[in-house]
Amino acid sequence: MEFPSSTFLKSSSPSSINGQFIDSLCESDGVSKLKIPEVKFTKLFINGQFVDSVSGKTFGTRDPRTGDVVAEVAEGDKEDVDIAVKAAREAFDHGKWPRMSGFDRGRVILKFADLIEQHGEEIAMLDSIDSGKLVNLTKAFDIQFATNCLRYYAGAADKIHGETLKCTGEFQAYTLKEPVGVVGHIIPWNFPTVLFAAKAAPTLATGCTMIFKPAEQSPLSALYLAYLAKEAGIPDGVINVITGYGPTAGAAISSHMDVDAVSFTGSTEVGKLVMGAAAASNLKTVSLELGGKCPLVIFNDVDINMAVQTAWQAVFFNKGEVCIAGSRIYVQEGIYDEFLKKVTDNVKNWVVGDPFDPQVHQGPQVDKEQFDKVLRYIESGKREGATLLTGGKAIGEKGYYIEPTIFTDVKEDMLIAQDEIFGPVMSIMKFKTIEEAIEKANNTKYGLAAGILTNDLNTANRVSRSIRAGGIWVNCYLITESSIPFGGYKMSGFGMDSGLQALEKYLKVKSVITPIYNSPWL
Amino acid sequence: MSAAARRIASSISCPSISTVLRSSSSFTLGGRIAGVSSGIQRLSTAAAALEEPITPPVQVNYTKLLINGQFVDSASGKTFPTLDPRTAEVIAHVAEGDAEDVDRAVAAARKAFDEGPWPKMSAYERSRILYRFADLIEKHNDEIAALETWDNGKPYEQAALGEIPMFARLFRYYAGWADKIHGMIVPADTPHHVQVLHEPIGVAGQIIPWNFPLLMFAWKVGPALACGNSVVLKTAEQTPLSALVVAKLLHEAGLPDGVLNVVSGYGPTAGAAIASHMDVDKLAFTGSTATGKIVQEMAARSNLKPVTLELGGKSPMIIMDDADIDKAVELAHFALFFNQGQCCCAGSRTFVHERIYDEFVEKAKARVLKRVVGDPFKKGVEQGPQIDEEQFNKILHFIKSGIEGGATLVAGGERHGDRGYFIKPTIFSDVKDGMEIAKHEIFGPVQSILKFSDLNEVIKRSNASQYGLAAGVFTQNLDTANTLMRALRVGTIWINSFDIFDAAIPFGGYKMSGYGREKGIDSLKNYLQIKSVVTHLKNPAWL
């Protein structure tokens, strides 16, 4: 059986400027016209000011299309985190932010959302240049998500309700929901703006202050967003951004004695370190959004074309750099062969190339490390005996492009079925019965999300309850909205982002009890 | 805003004013009192001599019915005059809606609900429209406030600094709810999956009063729209103007045609047509208890539409003997006289502990004599005219009954000036529970001060009323506050405060003050249907 291969496109945008790009597909005049957006902010953002790091050190953030440095960014370390925490502490303990009414905070957050919308194009380009994300999709999805999310929590800021309680004795008791204090947010590089907003919005709504550490691969949008936050009227010290590395800046936040909560999104491995540091320091509240190895279970009774499209997006969206990627595709035997054929057919419609090109579907992986790791997993898949249907190779000589890759005959114990690859690699497995599907789907240390494609109501309901994961998509996949709580079971972490539940991460519950006399009711 | 205006604003203390004053102390006031009396004193005038009424800085642009996004004449072609309560002169002739117009409005609302796009839009889009509407209100704040004052007689500063900003604030509150209306998944004893959906109820009929025309608009229209319903609104015949202006702005903000229809007209005709309409799915009414009974009956006799009612009150304001008398006097004064006493929750029974009674009465008298009555467009005026001749006469009748019934007239007791519907702020002391003025809702600037001697007594007397809308409690003693808080059978208790009306605080009555709650999360329930969806489960992993 012969399978078509996907198209590789490295084009240029007419408005692009300088930059070198050597490639066989490069412009005929030999000069690349790769678009590189202007980078305005490269310093740490502390207490409302852009400042150099204490050490004066910087690090290069790279363009994954070429591996070239786009900008030198201040490298924050422990000393910088200390200064940022102090600013956040002051802003929380004595500043006006937690003392403003929820409604007034909401108005500021709405303004912040408007500014992001206004500067959406610029922010999207920063995420693209940093992470290799499709610029159009980033505008359409990431920026939209961020503004919607901020508006959602703006409206929630004046709806944080405690409760009055029933007591057995003659007591009047109620709960107060108080902001937890200074929050550390450590966010990854796959959705830099989305995750900044998803963390910042509920934190702002509750009246907390925060320190962000964006990923070292994608520091630019966070700095831009912090600038817009200030423009919107968020007081100095409420949002601080320390760009830098995990083992230095990230660790300093997780183990800081004056940070009240840490919220981390990233790998399970690092999640363990963050939680350990929190435990070893001040027992700060921890919430973790970690890895996933999400099953997409496709039953015989579905429309095969819908199934192929859904599975394709589930795996290849954002180059597979998605914690909820449907990286284990379970297909029921009745449609297995047809599914394989159609899914591989789909490769020819898939264009890999410059993420600034509107025709492109898949940009480069974020960096050399991820690129190498994905290729290693592909090799391991081959070595362990899976059948490589298509793809499997790097594309071009520069940058971190990988072909959309599909394996079949994948066994449960293979590394590619067990580990989070975080790349454009689909693993397809066959199953017979619903019981088998459930068992296999749950055969993972992760529990972030799952997809079910079926039109049978009983199957949908049964599998929904049986898979131990924080999100279940039935006849759809990757649907994330501000109102829908998002988070993991098992080693995918704990604590929910999004939804009203996300507010709980940044709130402490205080019970107040006082005696009452001669109450007409209890 | 000048410092003087700011002080006046605080003195009338519409709670929302505190939120509009973006001064350093923007959290203050509401019903908490701070340095008010000095400001009043400075601005008080000898009053009495009525000058020529100030020309309102606004024009009347909309006088027709708003049906299906269009301003239209009534089917009959009839109009009615809306009057300036300062002078009893006609402001404008307004289209008079009747049953036929209500039919048209309901048909438009029905179509807008059944066919969309409003309920089919994402809640996020609905919220964006409501947010845009609030922005437009803010932009037109002063002209809307002027119209409100012209039609209603309330002090312009109260409208411009308090009520219109509060109106925008309420719509922002409901905008925020639109995408957070969550049903539940509830457990079942047997293998069943149970979803509870909160669906919009359909076409809401809403009848609002004249004392806070726009705030009542916001309390009703806000939650109805946030939940995805369509609305037929009947404004009070005394105050039809402001609703038409804001409804126009709501369409400008993106509200689809037919979602909000405004029918001006009278209760027995237009109001009755809404209440008894077979195609109206829900009825919300704010007004008198007598009319509340009528609309509920109409709902029962027609299609059993669910009803919520915000009705009258005779709210106690209880001043304990440990209270700071000066502050208590000011708060009790505000609780009663705010908005010319035309508040359903006015603290119209001021219960004062016997140990401080005489001193309280003296100080209440001193305060009331300083109250500035006059043209509501004039800076510093605290009290404008009553709404219309009927109310004016009713209040004077109650004052007469108070005098004849043996209460001591401490101050006021007659009309103010000889034009329009102004009444002097009036105080009675030695009021007994059985007197008419202690039992009935006067809805005017008449404070009745009653004496009590112990806590149990005041609880009993406070609860001895057909009403149960609100109560005020003034004490520093925590146990007293806690005891009263639970013992009083009313929907809102203000402790060391009064008339705090934040968007998030539910408001509504016990007993014959009605049922259902407006504002807060509870208000959404008035405009939602609850649907339980039960699906049988095959081999569920857990129950």
Side-chain angles (χ1 to χ4, degrees), chain B residues 182-204:
Chain B
H182 295 167
M184 286 186 291
I185 300 299
V186 298
D189 297 341
T190 46
H192 290 95
H193 171 55
V194 187
Q195 308 174 60
V196 181
L197 302 181
H198 287 184
E199 301 187 342
I201 195 164
V203 175

PDB file of all heavy atoms in Angstrom, chain B residues 182-204:
ATOM      1  N   HIS B 182     -25.708  27.808  35.155  1.00  0.00           N
ATOM      2  CA  HIS B 182     -25.373  26.396  35.154  1.00  0.00           C
ATOM      3  C   HIS B 182     -26.500  25.557  35.732  1.00  0.00           C
ATOM      4  O   HIS B 182     -27.001  25.852  36.808  1.00  0.00           O
ATOM      5  CB  HIS B 182     -24.131  26.157  36.021  1.00  0.00           C
ATOM      6  CG  HIS B 182     -22.891  26.807  35.491  1.00  0.00           C
ATOM      7  ND1 HIS B 182     -21.745  26.939  36.225  1.00  0.00           N
ATOM      8  CD2 HIS B 182     -22.605  27.353  34.298  1.00  0.00           C
ATOM      9  CE1 HIS B 182     -20.812  27.531  35.506  1.00  0.00           C
ATOM     10  NE2 HIS B 182     -21.307  27.806  34.333  1.00  0.00           N
ATOM     11  N   GLY B 183     -26.848  24.529  35.027  1.00  0.00           N
ATOM     12  CA  GLY B 183     -27.697  23.520  35.629  1.00  0.00           C
ATOM     13  C   GLY B 183     -26.821  22.577  36.435  1.00  0.00           C
ATOM     14  O   GLY B 183     -25.674  22.882  36.738  1.00  0.00           O
ATOM     15  N   MET B 184     -27.348  21.433  36.776  1.00  0.00           N
ATOM     16  CA  MET B 184     -26.594  20.501  37.603  1.00  0.00           C
ATOM     17  C   MET B 184     -26.760  19.094  37.063  1.00  0.00           C
ATOM     18  O   MET B 184     -27.698  18.800  36.340  1.00  0.00           O
ATOM     19  CB  MET B 184     -27.136  20.507  39.033  1.00  0.00           C
ATOM     20  CG  MET B 184     -26.782  21.713  39.832  1.00  0.00           C
ATOM     21  SD  MET B 184     -27.336  21.520  41.539  1.00  0.00           S
ATOM     22  CE  MET B 184     -29.099  21.583  41.331  1.00  0.00           C
ATOM     23  N   ILE B 185     -25.870  18.254  37.495  1.00  0.00           N
ATOM     24  CA  ILE B 185     -26.053  16.828  37.325  1.00  0.00           C
ATOM     25  C   ILE B 185     -26.355  16.310  38.722  1.00  0.00           C
ATOM     26  O   ILE B 185     -25.595  16.577  39.655  1.00  0.00           O
ATOM     27  CB  ILE B 185     -24.771  16.166  36.783  1.00  0.00           C
ATOM     28  CG1 ILE B 185     -24.388  16.763  35.435  1.00  0.00           C
ATOM     29  CG2 ILE B 185     -24.949  14.651  36.690  1.00  0.00           C
ATOM     30  CD1 ILE B 185     -25.411  16.586  34.346  1.00  0.00           C
ATOM     31  N   VAL B 186     -27.453  15.637  38.868  1.00  0.00           N
ATOM     32  CA  VAL B 186     -27.829  15.194  40.205  1.00  0.00           C
ATOM     33  C   VAL B 186     -27.788  13.673  40.278  1.00  0.00           C
ATOM     34  O   VAL B 186     -27.939  12.992  39.265  1.00  0.00           O
ATOM     35  CB  VAL B 186     -29.222  15.730  40.599  1.00  0.00           C
ATOM     36  CG1 VAL B 186     -29.214  17.246  40.625  1.00  0.00           C
ATOM     37  CG2 VAL B 186     -30.295  15.229  39.653  1.00  0.00           C
ATOM     38  N   PRO B 187     -27.568  13.135  41.468  1.00  0.00           N
ATOM     39  CA  PRO B 187     -27.453  11.693  41.583  1.00  0.00           C
ATOM     40  C   PRO B 187     -28.819  11.010  41.509  1.00  0.00           C
ATOM     41  O   PRO B 187     -29.828  11.599  41.838  1.00  0.00           O
ATOM     42  CB  PRO B 187     -26.839  11.501  42.976  1.00  0.00           C
ATOM     43  CG  PRO B 187     -27.241  12.697  43.736  1.00  0.00           C
ATOM     44  CD  PRO B 187     -27.372  13.826  42.754  1.00  0.00           C
ATOM     45  N   ALA B 188     -28.770   9.765  41.084  1.00  0.00           N
ATOM     46  CA  ALA B 188     -29.994   8.965  41.050  1.00  0.00           C
ATOM     47  C   ALA B 188     -29.761   7.700  41.870  1.00  0.00           C
ATOM     48  O   ALA B 188     -28.624   7.268  42.053  1.00  0.00           O
ATOM     49  CB  ALA B 188     -30.332   8.601  39.606  1.00  0.00           C
ATOM     50  N   ASP B 189     -30.837   7.117  42.371  1.00  0.00           N
ATOM     51  CA  ASP B 189     -30.715   5.907  43.185  1.00  0.00           C
ATOM     52  C   ASP B 189     -30.533   4.675  42.304  1.00  0.00           C
ATOM     53  O   ASP B 189     -30.028   3.653  42.752  1.00  0.00           O
ATOM     54  CB  ASP B 189     -31.976   5.712  44.035  1.00  0.00           C
ATOM     55  CG  ASP B 189     -32.158   6.855  45.014  1.00  0.00           C
ATOM     56  OD1 ASP B 189     -31.154   7.561  45.277  1.00  0.00           O
ATOM     57  OD2 ASP B 189     -33.276   7.046  45.508  1.00  0.00           O
ATOM     58  N   THR B 190     -30.997   4.779  41.104  1.00  0.00           N
ATOM     59  CA  THR B 190     -30.960   3.657  40.163  1.00  0.00           C
ATOM     60  C   THR B 190     -30.026   4.044  39.019  1.00  0.00           C
ATOM     61  O   THR B 190     -29.627   5.198  38.938  1.00  0.00           O
ATOM     62  CB  THR B 190     -32.384   3.419  39.640  1.00  0.00           C
ATOM     63  OG1 THR B 190     -32.915   4.705  39.288  1.00  0.00           O
ATOM     64  CG2 THR B 190     -33.256   2.773  40.705  1.00  0.00           C
ATOM     65  N   PRO B 191     -29.692   3.122  38.135  1.00  0.00           N
ATOM     66  CA  PRO B 191     -28.748   3.479  37.071  1.00  0.00           C
ATOM     67  C   PRO B 191     -29.321   4.503  36.086  1.00  0.00           C
ATOM     68  O   PRO B 191     -29.846   4.140  35.024  1.00  0.00           O
ATOM     69  CB  PRO B 191     -28.433   2.154  36.377  1.00  0.00           C
ATOM     70  CG  PRO B 191     -29.247   1.125  37.016  1.00  0.00           C
ATOM     71  CD  PRO B 191     -30.065   1.706  38.096  1.00  0.00           C
ATOM     72  N   HIS B 192     -29.284   5.733  36.490  1.00  0.00           N
ATOM     73  CA  HIS B 192     -29.763   6.802  35.623  1.00  0.00           C
ATOM     74  C   HIS B 192     -28.810   7.978  35.688  1.00  0.00           C
ATOM     75  O   HIS B 192     -28.239   8.267  36.738  1.00  0.00           O
ATOM     76  CB  HIS B 192     -31.171   7.244  36.021  1.00  0.00           C
ATOM     77  CG  HIS B 192     -32.210   6.226  35.711  1.00  0.00           C
ATOM     78  ND1 HIS B 192     -32.642   5.304  36.638  1.00  0.00           N
ATOM     79  CD2 HIS B 192     -32.873   5.945  34.562  1.00  0.00           C
ATOM     80  CE1 HIS B 192     -33.540   4.511  36.074  1.00  0.00           C
ATOM     81  NE2 HIS B 192     -33.687   4.861  34.821  1.00  0.00           N
ATOM     82  N   HIS B 193     -28.699   8.613  34.552  1.00  0.00           N
ATOM     83  CA  HIS B 193     -27.894   9.818  34.450  1.00  0.00           C
ATOM     84  C   HIS B 193     -28.867  10.989  34.410  1.00  0.00           C
ATOM     85  O   HIS B 193     -29.758  11.012  33.565  1.00  0.00           O
ATOM     86  CB  HIS B 193     -27.072   9.736  33.162  1.00  0.00           C
ATOM     87  CG  HIS B 193     -26.354  10.988  32.808  1.00  0.00           C
ATOM     88  ND1 HIS B 193     -25.488  11.616  33.671  1.00  0.00           N
ATOM     89  CD2 HIS B 193     -26.367  11.729  31.664  1.00  0.00           C
ATOM     90  CE1 HIS B 193     -24.998  12.689  33.073  1.00  0.00           C
ATOM     91  NE2 HIS B 193     -25.515  12.789  31.872  1.00  0.00           N
ATOM     92  N   VAL B 194     -28.726  11.920  35.339  1.00  0.00           N
ATOM     93  CA  VAL B 194     -29.725  12.977  35.457  1.00  0.00           C
ATOM     94  C   VAL B 194     -29.099  14.349  35.228  1.00  0.00           C
ATOM     95  O   VAL B 194     -28.228  14.778  35.989  1.00  0.00           O
ATOM     96  CB  VAL B 194     -30.402  12.953  36.844  1.00  0.00           C
ATOM     97  CG1 VAL B 194     -31.553  13.939  36.869  1.00  0.00           C
ATOM     98  CG2 VAL B 194     -30.885  11.547  37.181  1.00  0.00           C
ATOM     99  N   GLN B 195     -29.562  14.986  34.188  1.00  0.00           N
ATOM    100  CA  GLN B 195     -29.099  16.342  33.891  1.00  0.00           C
ATOM    101  C   GLN B 195     -30.214  17.316  34.218  1.00  0.00           C
ATOM    102  O   GLN B 195     -31.364  17.069  33.893  1.00  0.00           O
ATOM    103  CB  GLN B 195     -28.770  16.488  32.402  1.00  0.00           C
ATOM    104  CG  GLN B 195     -27.833  15.427  31.864  1.00  0.00           C
ATOM    105  CD  GLN B 195     -27.669  15.544  30.349  1.00  0.00           C
ATOM    106  OE1 GLN B 195     -27.226  16.549  29.840  1.00  0.00           O
ATOM    107  NE2 GLN B 195     -28.057  14.512  29.637  1.00  0.00           N
ATOM    108  N   VAL B 196     -29.861  18.417  34.840  1.00  0.00           N
ATOM    109  CA  VAL B 196     -30.836  19.469  35.091  1.00  0.00           C
ATOM    110  C   VAL B 196     -30.450  20.655  34.220  1.00  0.00           C
ATOM    111  O   VAL B 196     -29.383  21.239  34.401  1.00  0.00           O
ATOM    112  CB  VAL B 196     -30.858  19.856  36.580  1.00  0.00           C
ATOM    113  CG1 VAL B 196     -31.890  20.941  36.829  1.00  0.00           C
ATOM    114  CG2 VAL B 196     -31.146  18.627  37.444  1.00  0.00           C
ATOM    115  N   LEU B 197     -31.299  20.950  33.272  1.00  0.00           N
ATOM    116  CA  LEU B 197     -31.027  22.067  32.363  1.00  0.00           C
ATOM    117  C   LEU B 197     -31.779  23.302  32.837  1.00  0.00           C
ATOM    118  O   LEU B 197     -32.928  23.203  33.250  1.00  0.00           O
ATOM    119  CB  LEU B 197     -31.492  21.730  30.942  1.00  0.00           C
ATOM    120  CG  LEU B 197     -30.905  20.497  30.275  1.00  0.00           C
ATOM    121  CD1 LEU B 197     -31.485  20.347  28.865  1.00  0.00           C
ATOM    122  CD2 LEU B 197     -29.392  20.586  30.213  1.00  0.00           C
ATOM    123  N   HIS B 198     -31.109  24.427  32.786  1.00  0.00           N
ATOM    124  CA  HIS B 198     -31.782  25.693  33.094  1.00  0.00           C
ATOM    125  C   HIS B 198     -32.059  26.403  31.778  1.00  0.00           C
ATOM    126  O   HIS B 198     -31.150  26.922  31.152  1.00  0.00           O
ATOM    127  CB  HIS B 198     -30.904  26.555  33.996  1.00  0.00           C
ATOM    128  CG  HIS B 198     -30.842  26.041  35.403  1.00  0.00           C
ATOM    129  ND1 HIS B 198     -30.187  26.695  36.414  1.00  0.00           N
ATOM    130  CD2 HIS B 198     -31.374  24.939  35.972  1.00  0.00           C
ATOM    131  CE1 HIS B 198     -30.314  26.006  37.541  1.00  0.00           C
ATOM    132  NE2 HIS B 198     -31.019  24.937  37.300  1.00  0.00           N
ATOM    133  N   GLU B 199     -33.298  26.388  31.384  1.00  0.00           N
ATOM    134  CA  GLU B 199     -33.666  26.954  30.084  1.00  0.00           C
ATOM    135  C   GLU B 199     -34.389  28.272  30.268  1.00  0.00           C
ATOM    136  O   GLU B 199     -35.111  28.453  31.248  1.00  0.00           O
ATOM    137  CB  GLU B 199     -34.601  25.982  29.352  1.00  0.00           C
ATOM    138  CG  GLU B 199     -34.000  24.613  29.125  1.00  0.00           C
ATOM    139  CD  GLU B 199     -34.880  23.723  28.247  1.00  0.00           C
ATOM    140  OE1 GLU B 199     -36.082  24.013  28.097  1.00  0.00           O
ATOM    141  OE2 GLU B 199     -34.341  22.739  27.707  1.00  0.00           O
ATOM    142  N   PRO B 200     -34.250  29.171  29.312  1.00  0.00           N
ATOM    143  CA  PRO B 200     -35.037  30.413  29.397  1.00  0.00           C
ATOM    144  C   PRO B 200     -36.528  30.077  29.389  1.00  0.00           C
ATOM    145  O   PRO B 200     -36.951  29.112  28.749  1.00  0.00           O
ATOM    146  CB  PRO B 200     -34.626  31.198  28.154  1.00  0.00           C
ATOM    147  CG  PRO B 200     -33.942  30.213  27.256  1.00  0.00           C
ATOM    148  CD  PRO B 200     -33.398  29.129  28.129  1.00  0.00           C
ATOM    149  N   ILE B 201     -37.297  30.895  30.095  1.00  0.00           N
ATOM    150  CA  ILE B 201     -38.710  30.548  30.278  1.00  0.00           C
ATOM    151  C   ILE B 201     -39.570  30.961  29.095  1.00  0.00           C
ATOM    152  O   ILE B 201     -40.610  30.380  28.845  1.00  0.00           O
ATOM    153  CB  ILE B 201     -39.220  31.161  31.600  1.00  0.00           C
ATOM    154  CG1 ILE B 201     -40.544  30.526  32.023  1.00  0.00           C
ATOM    155  CG2 ILE B 201     -39.330  32.674  31.516  1.00  0.00           C
ATOM    156  CD1 ILE B 201     -40.898  30.799  33.462  1.00  0.00           C
ATOM    157  N   GLY B 202     -39.135  31.970  28.340  1.00  0.00           N
ATOM    158  CA  GLY B 202     -39.904  32.360  27.150  1.00  0.00           C
ATOM    159  C   GLY B 202     -40.150  33.848  27.092  1.00  0.00           C
ATOM    160  O   GLY B 202     -39.232  34.642  27.202  1.00  0.00           O
ATOM    161  N   VAL B 203     -41.424  34.199  26.956  1.00  0.00           N
ATOM    162  CA  VAL B 203     -41.798  35.613  26.896  1.00  0.00           C
ATOM    163  C   VAL B 203     -42.146  36.074  28.311  1.00  0.00           C
ATOM    164  O   VAL B 203     -43.040  35.535  28.940  1.00  0.00           O
ATOM    165  CB  VAL B 203     -43.012  35.826  25.971  1.00  0.00           C
ATOM    166  CG1 VAL B 203     -43.473  37.277  26.015  1.00  0.00           C
ATOM    167  CG2 VAL B 203     -42.676  35.391  24.547  1.00  0.00           C
ATOM    168  N   ALA B 204     -41.384  37.043  28.785  1.00  0.00           N
ATOM    169  CA  ALA B 204     -41.629  37.554  30.135  1.00  0.00           C
ATOM    170  C   ALA B 204     -42.427  38.843  30.042  1.00  0.00           C
ATOM    171  O   ALA B 204     -42.071  39.757  29.301  1.00  0.00           O
ATOM    172  CB  ALA B 204     -40.312  37.805  30.857  1.00  0.00           C
TER     173      ALA B 204
END
